[in-house]
Amino acid sequence: MTRQLSAAGLDEEVRKEYEDAADAILTSMPDKALERFNASAKKATFHKDNATLVEDLSRRSKKAKAAADAGRLIGGGYDTKNGELVLDGGKGLGEGKQPTAEVYAHEMTHAIDGPGHEISNSPEWRRAFLKELSSEAPLRSEYPNNKQP
């Protein structure tokens, strides 16, 4: 990812923040997760801010454009067609309160899941997901800062 960060044309402070966040996530991954990540994440595109990220993702995906038009927060993306992570620093999320590493962890988890959603489509994962939905846990839509201010 260092090569893609260098090529992104970010100022030094932003590049360092993004690099530190990516390194923190990658170095904390178990070996099997890192293996899956490396197999699925073919490249990364980094944006200087959330606005350019949302613009890029909206051009690439009707689903992303619809989410942006509805005012939903978009922190990044993982393109299952080409294995590309599309990231920024999370500054535009939740009034700037979501740390970059959290945004990266979320998007990198999509890459670990793989382009065919091998983990999240497994019967074991589905059972756990349905069990969680039936619990008292708040739904994602009820999480604070899920809508743009």
Side-chain angles (χ1 to χ4, degrees), residues 48-137:
K48 65 180 179 174
D49 56 39
N50 190 256
T52 57
L53 174 131
V54 170
E55 183 180 311
D56 180 17
L57 287 174
S58 292
R59 280 195 308 268
R60 296 172 185 239
S61 161
K62 290 178 185 176
K63 185 177 173 181
K65 181 164 180 13
D69 290 348
R72 291 191 45 227
L73 298 175
I74 301 175
Y78 171 68
D79 189 334
T80 58
K81 293 180 199 87
N82 65 7
E84 181 177 6
L85 286 163
V86 183
L87 303 165
D88 76 343
K91 296 288 191 239
L93 298 175
E95 300 174 16
K97 295 179 182 174
Q98 189 164 15
T100 300
E102 286 183 14
V103 174
Y104 287 11
H106 176 91
E107 297 307 332
M108 289 177 177
T109 299
H110 290 298
I112 292 167
D113 192 19
H117 310 283
E118 293 88 2
I119 296 170
S120 62
N121 282 337
S122 72
E124 298 83 6
W125 191 94
R126 287 295 206 195
R127 279 193 299 276
F129 178 72
L130 291 172
K131 184 177 179 180
E132 183 177 324
L133 281 180
S134 67
S135 76
E136 296 297 315

Side-chain angles (χ1 to χ4, degrees), residues 2-84:
T2 303
R3 183 173 36 86
Q4 288 106 341
L5 274 165
S6 296
L10 305 168
D11 69 47
E12 184 60 25
E13 183 180 335
V14 171
R15 187 200 59 74
K16 179 80 170 114
E17 175 191 346
Y18 289 12
E19 184 174 46
D20 288 348
D23 285 349
I25 302 305
L26 293 170
T27 59
S28 66
M29 278 186 197
D31 291 342
K32 210 53 162 156
L34 188 57
E35 184 180 306
R36 288 186 61 84
F37 176 81
N38 287 331
S40 297
K42 307 293 185 201
K43 63 181 182 173
T45 297
F46 292 90
H47 291 279
K48 65 180 179 174
D49 56 39
N50 190 256
T52 57
L53 174 131
V54 170
E55 183 180 311
D56 180 17
L57 287 174
S58 292
R59 280 195 308 268
R60 296 172 185 239
S61 161
K62 290 178 185 176
K63 185 177 173 181
K65 181 164 180 13
D69 290 348
R72 291 191 45 227
L73 298 175
I74 301 175
Y78 171 68
D79 189 334
T80 58
K81 293 180 199 87
N82 65 7
E84 181 177 6

